[in-house]
């Protein structure tokens, strides 16, 4: 079974803090994604990566950055957390390399509260 | 501009009855459609999918219907069970157009009442 592991299930941070959300997948997937989920807004794509050291902006990249130094790990960084970044953050991966149907494998999610 | 729309934010159904969740899309390049189910405080899990070359796909209690001319798909759950209560997301991809991310709808919260 594909396993996507997010480092923290629940975090509480202060406005202005730098926040790191880590995600690791164990199936050698090429593609990795970060989404946030908010009530009434669905799943919104923040950033994605189709290869190591490669990143692409999604629909809502403002206020976020990402890092993919290794194939299995994709980190989401909030340089200076703000209250409007309080949300559920979801990491996902997919095979890539012509094996992709678009199906994503999601982690359990990280609930971030910014005070 | 929303490419994938789930116009019903919520739906309540009696246990044992049929649940029908609807999804519309605007991009004619979409050729693969998926439904995900999400419980609170958990990540979404894949439920069922359908390719644009089909008009129906069935898996146990779950059936997805695709009407390409109307750019509409629906998920049928029958019979509905209390454990089906969750948020359901419709998603679409354009596989034959290259490696592009899934596009999700905003979700429909299904409540199955015992």
């Amino acid at each position: 079974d594909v396993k996507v592991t997010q480092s923290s299930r629940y975090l509480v941070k202060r406005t202005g803090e730098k926040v790191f959300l880590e995600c690791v997948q164990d199936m050698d997937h090429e593609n990795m994604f970060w989404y946030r989920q908010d009530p009434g807004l669905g799943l919104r794509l923040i950033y994605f990566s189709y290869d190591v050291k490669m990143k692409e902006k999604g629909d809502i990249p403002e206020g976020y950055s990402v890092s993919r130094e290794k194939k299995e790990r994709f980190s989401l960084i909030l340089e200076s957390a703000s209250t409007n970044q309080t949300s559920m953050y979801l990491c996902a991966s997919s095979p890539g390399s012509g094996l992709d149907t678009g199906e994503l494998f999601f982690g359990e999610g990280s609930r971030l509260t910014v005070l | 501009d929303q490419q994938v729309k789930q116009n019903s934010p919520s739906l309540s159904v009696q246990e044992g009855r049929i649940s029908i969740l609807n999804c519309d899309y605007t991009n004619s390049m979409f050729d693969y459609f998926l439904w995900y189910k999400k419980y609170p405080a958990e990540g979404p899990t894949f439920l069922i999918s359908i390719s644009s070359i089909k008009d129906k796909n069935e898996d146990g209690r779950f059936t997805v219907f695709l009407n390409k001319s109307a750019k509409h798909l629906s998920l049928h759950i029958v019979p509905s069970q209390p454990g089906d209560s969750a948020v359901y997301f419709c998603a679409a991809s354009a596989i034959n157009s290259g490696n592009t991310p899934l596009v999700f709808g905003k979700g429909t919260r299904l409540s199955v009442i015992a």
Side-chain angles (χ1 to χ4, degrees):
Chain A
D1 277 356
V2 174
K3 188 141 178 76
V4 179
T5 304
Q6 295 184 229
S7 55
S8 305
R9 293 295 305 274
Y10 300 94
L11 302 94
V12 179
K13 298 292 182 180
R14 297 271 178 204
T15 300
E17 279 193 75
K18 191 168 186 175
V19 182
F20 292 87
L21 299 177
E22 306 286 345
C23 176
V24 177
Q25 50 93 5
D26 66 358
M27 280 299 291
D28 203 35
H29 282 176
E30 293 189 356
N31 303 339
M32 296 189 75
F33 307 82
W34 275 105
Y35 289 86
R36 63 178 280 179
Q37 185 207 358
D38 302 286
L41 297 178
L43 298 173
R44 294 183 292 168
L45 182 62
I46 305 171
Y47 267 97
F48 60 101
S49 168
Y50 288 150
D51 200 354
V52 176
K53 297 198 184 288
M54 176 269 181
K55 61 184 178 184
E56 293 274 357
K57 292 180 180 179
D59 299 318
I60 51 163
E62 296 79 17
Y64 303 94
S65 62
V66 290
S67 172
R68 190 153 181 217
E69 295 296 318
K70 293 185 177 181
K71 189 175 185 179
E72 68 270 18
R73 187 179 296 269
F74 193 35
S75 303
L76 181 69
I77 303 151
L78 288 67
E79 292 288 343
S80 178
S82 62
T83 54
N84 63 12
Q85 292 178 310
T86 292
S87 186
M88 167 73 93
Y89 289 88
L90 294 160
C91 176
S93 71
S94 68
S97 295
L99 302 173
D100 226 299
T101 58
E103 180 183 343
L104 297 178
F105 298 84
F106 282 89
E108 292 280 295
S110 298
R111 167 71 64 185
L112 172 66
T113 301
V114 183
L115 301 176
Chain B
D1 185 30
Q2 270 192 277
Q3 297 186 70
V4 177
K5 298 179 186 179
Q6 295 178 257
N7 291 320
S8 298
S10 62
L11 176 68
S12 286
V13 171
Q14 286 288 126
E15 181 179 6
R17 302 277 190 155
I18 185 171
S19 296
I20 300 176
L21 295 88
N22 293 303
C23 178
D24 297 292
Y25 62 96
T26 57
N27 188 341
S28 57
M29 300 300 291
F30 288 147
D31 51 17
Y32 198 75
F33 304 89
L34 307 92
W35 285 93
Y36 283 81
K37 176 180 180 178
K38 186 182 183 301
Y39 293 118
E42 293 184 14
T45 54
F46 169 74
L47 189 58
I48 193 169
S49 62
I50 189 166
S51 164
S52 60
I53 62 173
K54 294 186 174 183
D55 54 18
K56 176 182 174 181
N57 188 28
E58 192 171 351
D59 183 3
R61 296 186 298 113
F62 302 91
T63 303
V64 56
F65 295 92
L66 175 63
N67 182 334
K68 281 178 62 180
S69 60
K71 293 192 176 68
H72 176 84
L73 62 154
S74 60
L75 173 68
H76 292 212
I77 307 173
V78 56
S80 301
Q81 299 173 353
D84 296 328
S85 298
V87 177
Y88 289 79
F89 291 100
C90 173
S93 66
I95 297 297
N96 290 321
S97 301
N99 207 2
T100 57
L102 276 185
V103 180
F104 284 88
K106 292 187 176 182
T108 296
R109 181 177 300 279
L110 174 65
S111 300
V112 180
I113 304 159

